[in-house]
Amino acid sequence: MYWSNLSGLVLAVLSSVFIGSSFIIKKKGLQLARINGPSASVGGYGYLLQPLWWLGMITMFVGEAANFIAYVYAPAVLVTPLGALSIIVSAVLAHFLLKEKLQKMGMLGCLLCIVGSIIIVLHAPEEMSLTSVQQIWELAIQPAFLSYTASAIAVVLILVLYFAPRYGQTNILVYIGICSLVGSLTVMSVKAIGIAIKLSFEGANQTFYFQTWIFAVVGITCIVVQLNYLNMALDNFNTAVVSPIYYALFTAFTILASAIMFKDYYGQSISSIISALCGFITVLSGTLVLHNTREPDPQSNADSYTPLSPGVSWYIQGNNESRKQKEEDGPPFNLITIMKPDHFK
């Protein structure tokens, strides 16, 4: 058992290093693609021709594979918290390679996100034992989870069709919200596929069940959507801010989806539930600290001011590269003077 947990620990740490590095590598590829054509933030797909972007994708896939295998050797309470290490890796690499300065309060925000996530996982209940994909299907079609799925899809469609075209380049929560909501459904599908593969290797072939292929199609679709909007978020905002906010929201929605689908918290003590709630509050606090201590770039045109992005805590301007790109596109149509809010000290 000791060597099994040790193997899972090593794989989980390696997974965080690969995933954290992939953020930086992919963003370098996005920056190179922007030089030769439209950026990903405005619908450009030139990054698909950049070898550096594909290297970042390969690095991410290796990290995700290591994380998947880590769950085979070690319990989730050991593997899941280590995913927060990817935040530290990406923030440090962004500081040195992308020259994206991480303030001291930003470091505190990262620490709060990590601590909060660890608290959530340490007080998370054990998962139920599942012996077939059909069991998972029964859990997936229960009214409570169907309601969550319908709500998540509805919110994603609203974000994609209305908010993304208008506020996606000025409000970080638009793209990250899409990634996080879709990601929670991705995890549920991938978990079902993983169980099917595991059971098939043990002799109980699950490929004969249509539910396995439905989970596979849903999983692949969700992954494609996640990657597309994650690219847009990285192309518009500071990597040191994208990583922890994405981690915090993705973790929160995933735990919520799992609690609804697998009834994780049924039979749990009040103290465990309260501790998990405190973990959520800690994560949200870290997110707000990162949000409020980010030094915004000077506004380049009037279009960057929208009803959803005035001087409030939910506003984050794009990074220096996005500002430069807007300046190259032409001068602003008019001039709007906005008083610098106190929370951007």
Side-chain angles (χ1 to χ4, degrees), residues 222-290:
C222 290
I223 289 173
V224 171
V225 173
Q226 271 185 274
L227 291 177
N228 184 49
Y229 284 95
L230 180 58
N231 284 331
M232 292 184 179
L234 289 171
D235 198 37
N236 277 278
F237 302 99
N238 192 302
T239 308
V241 179
V242 171
S243 299
I245 292 179
Y246 175 55
Y247 175 81
L249 293 181
F250 172 74
T251 301
F253 283 123
T254 299
I255 291 177
L256 177 61
S258 181
I260 295 174
M261 181 172 175
F262 296 101
K263 305 182 185 300
D264 289 334
Y265 289 99
Y266 276 28
Q268 294 297 305
S269 65
I270 298 298
S271 61
S272 294
I273 297 176
I274 293 177
S275 297
L277 179 60
C278 290
F280 274 113
I281 295 174
T282 305
V283 170
L284 292 177
S285 299
T287 301
L288 288 176
V289 170
L290 280 165

Side-chain angles (χ1 to χ4, degrees), residues 70-92:
Y71 281 101
V72 176
Y73 292 98
V77 294
L78 175 63
V79 177
T80 306
L82 296 177
L85 295 177
S86 62
I87 297 175
I88 300 175
V89 172
S90 62
V92 172

Side-chain angles (χ1 to χ4, degrees), residues 103 105 170-172 237 241 287-299 304-305 308-318 338-345:
Q103 304 293 336
M105 287 301 294
T170 57
N171 193 313
I172 194 173
F237 302 99
V241 179
T287 301
L288 288 176
V289 170
L290 280 165
H291 220 54
N292 294 339
T293 57
R294 165 75 165 91
E295 292 185 356
D297 298 319
Q299 298 203 22
S304 63
Y305 183 85
L308 288 188
S309 59
V312 295
S313 62
W314 299 111
Y315 175 81
I316 286 187
Q317 181 60 283
I338 302 174
M339 182 176 296
K340 185 177 182 181
D342 293 337
H343 65 266
F344 280 135
K345 291 179 180 178

